[in-house]
Amino acid sequence: MAVGIGIAATSCEGYLDITPDGQVKRDEMLATNEGVEDALYGVYAKLRNTTLYGQEMYFSSLEIMSQTLYCYGNTGVTALGQYDYNNTSVKNVFAMVWNDMYNNISNVNSVLNAPLVEGATAYPTNIYKGEALALRAMMHFDLMRLFAEQITVNPNAKGIPYATEFSLKTPDFETLAENYNHVLADLQEAELLLADEGEYENTTSFMSDRQIHLNLHAVRALMARVYLTKGDKDKALEYAEKVIAQSGRQLKTKTEVINDVAGVLSKKECLFGVYFSGFYTQVSAKLQQTVSYSSLDLRGDFMEMYEKGVSGLDFRTTAYFTSVDLGGTAKYRLSKFTDIYDLQNNASARPTDLIQGINMIRLPEMYYIAAECLLDRDYQKALDYFNAVVTNRGLDALSGAGEETLTQEVINTERYKEMIGEGQTFFNMKRQNLSIPSYDNSVTYRPEDGIYVVPIPDSEYENRN
């Protein structure tokens, strides 16, 4: 494994202790390339917090909200699964998400406001600035998706504060449309700044292991995701196809699905991931173990999606799930992210070319975006993109006619099956304003019931008084 990962794991700690009160120390640190790199590693490291993508914004809260996971008897999980955003436990979770995300946005703004980076146009500072802008855009975008309405449902929706300065005080709220303008402006500038990164790949430790950095192709993938959510299918298609054609990433074959994302970044498909050697500890406690009131269970009918009406053998069913015996009853676990080497207490046997961590953006999503965007304009091409994924998962290609017609619902189902547990299903449902059947199918939650907008934490308003 390249040296960059070791630096990412160790050099960030001092930076994460820096606050705006420590101005002199901060300025000294960010006056050198090494200091800026350490600061960026710190921002990436904080993404793996349990309040962010190390848990809540990945396999936990967002998957409970999509009704994929639940925990019988856990009052906090039950309240979240019922979209009871006034529940104290639920409010506390989202207050931490909000505060920690903005704290990390402030960290990345510290880099962007540093003189060394602010006016960057040439290597290596252009790389620093490009990654920092992309990080700022990504974090704001996920806050928007969680705490604001869907813009295609309400174009005049209130947005969130878009922070561009290093400060513990968040700026004023703005409209969601203004939020999108800021996110896309940051990503567009990042794309330009990172355009020549390939020339310098593997020349330094910072330029190695580009999967754990918001690299050029990950930025374009983010743009595809943002444009699709915004309702601009032309631009979403443009960027999804750029990633498919130019990223150098490939769809893994059906025999490569096993353990491909099990606590490690997918070697073929990961466009961006967060390095996290301790991910197993989080995943094991919540998903692998079967401790009552603590671990998360899969909805009862999840396997029907993988088996009903399909032709072929879906290799994801054995790659993503395991069955454990509980008093003579078989119970499935979402073992998709469980590092098999840690599970078997054999970490030393893990191949050195595997990077431990969280897959944040993977190539299949770009195929689903392209298929959806082309569905009404070039049906055959949409079908080709869709079939590219399913055939690489072991299923027979959809013929595209009769009962095998490709529809938005078919794409949604396939996307769900592929990305289960990765924190994207709830957002995909929200984008389309879909109703959500509960994990036990006893009730259907409707968009008009307020399920899709998490209230801004009370502390945000209190701090402004």
Side-chain angles (χ1 to χ4, degrees):
M1 192 179 298
V3 232
I5 291 177
I7 295 175
T10 58
S11 64
C12 62
E13 299 307 323
Y15 177 70
L16 293 180
D17 293 334
I18 295 177
T19 68
D21 295 330
Q23 188 74 31
V24 175
K25 182 181 176 185
R26 177 180 74 92
D27 289 348
E28 288 177 354
M29 178 178 183
L30 296 176
T32 65
N33 289 353
E34 183 182 15
V36 171
E37 289 176 7
D38 284 351
L40 281 170
Y41 281 133
V43 174
Y44 284 116
K46 190 155 188 174
L47 295 178
R48 65 192 185 212
N49 281 13
T50 56
T51 52
L52 301 180
Y53 304 98
Q55 184 169 298
E56 304 303 344
M57 294 292 287
Y58 197 67
F59 66 83
S60 186
S61 287
L62 289 176
E63 293 299 309
I64 294 165
M65 293 161 77
S66 73
Q67 302 294 326
T68 300
L69 299 173
Y70 72 99
C71 182
Y72 183 78
N74 183 310
T75 55
V77 172
T78 298
L80 179 56
Q82 294 172 347
Y83 311 101
D84 180 4
Y85 297 134
N86 290 317
N87 176 276
T88 301
S89 174
V90 174
K91 289 175 78 169
N92 288 341
V93 167
F94 290 119
M96 289 187 291
V97 169
W98 177 275
N99 292 334
D100 282 3
M101 196 78 91
Y102 271 112
N103 180 270
N104 209 27
I105 288 170
S106 184
N107 287 341
V108 84
N109 281 333
S110 176
V111 174
L112 286 165
N113 295 163
L116 186 67
V117 177
E118 197 169 22
T121 57
Y123 180 81
T125 53
N126 63 320
I127 304 296
Y128 306 152
K129 186 175 183 180
E131 288 188 29
L133 285 167
L135 280 161
R136 183 168 76 184
M138 182 191 77
M139 288 187 280
H140 278 107
F141 177 57
D142 278 349
L143 288 173
M144 289 154 55
R145 292 201 287 177
L146 195 58
F147 292 98
E149 293 180 72
Q150 169 58 29
I151 195 167
T152 51
V153 173
N154 181 7
N156 300 313
K158 176 183 176 181
I160 61 170
Y162 202 92
T164 57
E165 298 296 328
F166 177 58
S167 171
L168 294 182
K169 181 174 171 24
T170 50
D172 292 336
F173 283 83
E174 58 185 25
T175 67
L176 189 55
E178 289 173 318
N179 285 167
Y180 270 98
N181 288 341
H182 280 129
V183 166
L184 288 168
D186 278 352
L187 290 175
Q188 286 159 0
E189 187 176 358
E191 182 186 19
L192 291 173
L193 288 163
L194 295 169
D196 64 348
E197 70 170 353
E199 298 175 27
Y200 304 98
E201 193 164 354
N202 297 320
T203 56
T204 67
S205 60
F206 189 83
M207 293 304 296
S208 302
D209 300 313
R210 294 303 291 167
Q211 279 182 304
I212 62 169
H213 296 254
L214 264 172
N215 57 78
L216 173 65
H217 305 298
V219 167
R220 288 173 171 170
L222 265 177
M223 292 176 81
R225 186 184 281 179
V226 172
Y227 276 122
L228 185 70
T229 308
K230 185 173 181 280
D232 188 340
K233 289 188 175 180
D234 289 341
K235 296 298 286 185
L237 174 64
E238 175 188 334
Y239 278 96
E241 290 192 316
K242 272 187 183 180
V243 175
I244 292 168
Q246 299 176 25
S247 68
R249 296 293 168 200
Q250 296 176 306
L251 292 171
K252 61 201 173 197
T253 64
K254 61 184 182 181
T255 56
E256 295 171 323
V257 173
I258 300 291
N259 300 322
D260 183 61
V261 293
V264 295
L265 305 189
S266 173
K267 291 175 67 175
K268 281 190 171 183
E269 294 183 349
C270 181
L271 293 157
F272 166 58
V274 175
Y275 169 67
F276 188 11
S277 61
F279 193 39
Y280 172 79
T281 303
Q282 305 296 341
V283 169
S284 176
K286 288 285 186 178
L287 302 178
Q288 192 67 31
Q289 295 177 26
T290 56
V291 181
S292 179
Y293 309 135
S294 174
S295 51
L296 297 169
D297 298 323
L298 284 153
R299 62 179 295 130
D301 62 354
F302 81 93
M303 192 58 82
E304 290 180 22
M305 278 184 290
Y306 290 87
E307 297 176 341
K308 189 177 179 180
V310 301
S311 178
L313 176 61
D314 195 329
F315 277 60
R316 291 170 297 195
T317 58
T318 51
Y320 292 176
F321 313 104
T322 52
S323 178
V324 297
D325 186 285
L326 288 181
T329 303
K331 196 177 189 76
Y332 280 106
R333 312 307 297 160
L334 178 60
S335 55
K336 180 179 183 180
F337 312 120
T338 304
D339 189 317
I340 57 167
Y341 297 99
D342 279 327
L343 183 65
Q344 297 167 357
N345 292 317
N346 195 22
S348 60
R350 184 185 300 107
T352 56
D353 62 344
L354 292 180
I355 301 175
Q356 291 177 274
I358 309 164
N359 290 270
M360 296 283 287
I361 313 174
R362 291 191 298 116
L363 186 62
E365 183 182 353
M366 298 300 106
Y367 280 80
Y368 299 133
I369 290 175
E372 179 177 337
C373 293
L374 287 165
L375 197 56
D376 297 326
R377 69 170 85 171
D378 190 336
Y379 181 77
Q380 184 56 53
K381 195 171 182 183
L383 188 63
D384 290 343
Y385 277 125
F386 178 84
N387 280 334
V389 182
V390 299
T391 55
N392 276 286
R393 297 308 184 252
L395 299 175
D396 296 336
L398 207 66
S399 70
E403 293 183 357
E404 293 191 359
T405 299
L406 182 65
T407 64
Q408 181 64 54
E409 185 178 0
V410 170
I411 294 172
N412 283 342
T413 300
E414 178 58 32
R415 179 193 262 256
Y416 187 112
K417 289 156 59 178
E418 175 65 32
M419 302 179 73
I420 189 169
E422 296 182 43
Q424 295 301 316
T425 297
F426 177 77
F427 291 141
N428 191 49
M429 292 169 163
K430 176 174 180 173
R431 177 176 64 83
Q432 298 174 67
N433 209 36
L434 303 176
S435 293
I436 307 179
S438 63
Y439 70 88
D440 59 0
N441 288 310
S442 63
V443 62
T444 296
Y445 296 101
R446 305 170 303 167
E448 54 266 35
D449 296 331
I451 64 174
Y452 280 131
V453 183
V454 176
I456 304 291
D458 297 335
S459 59
E460 179 58 34
Y461 297 107
E462 291 164 2
N463 293 338
R464 292 173 180 271
N465 295 333

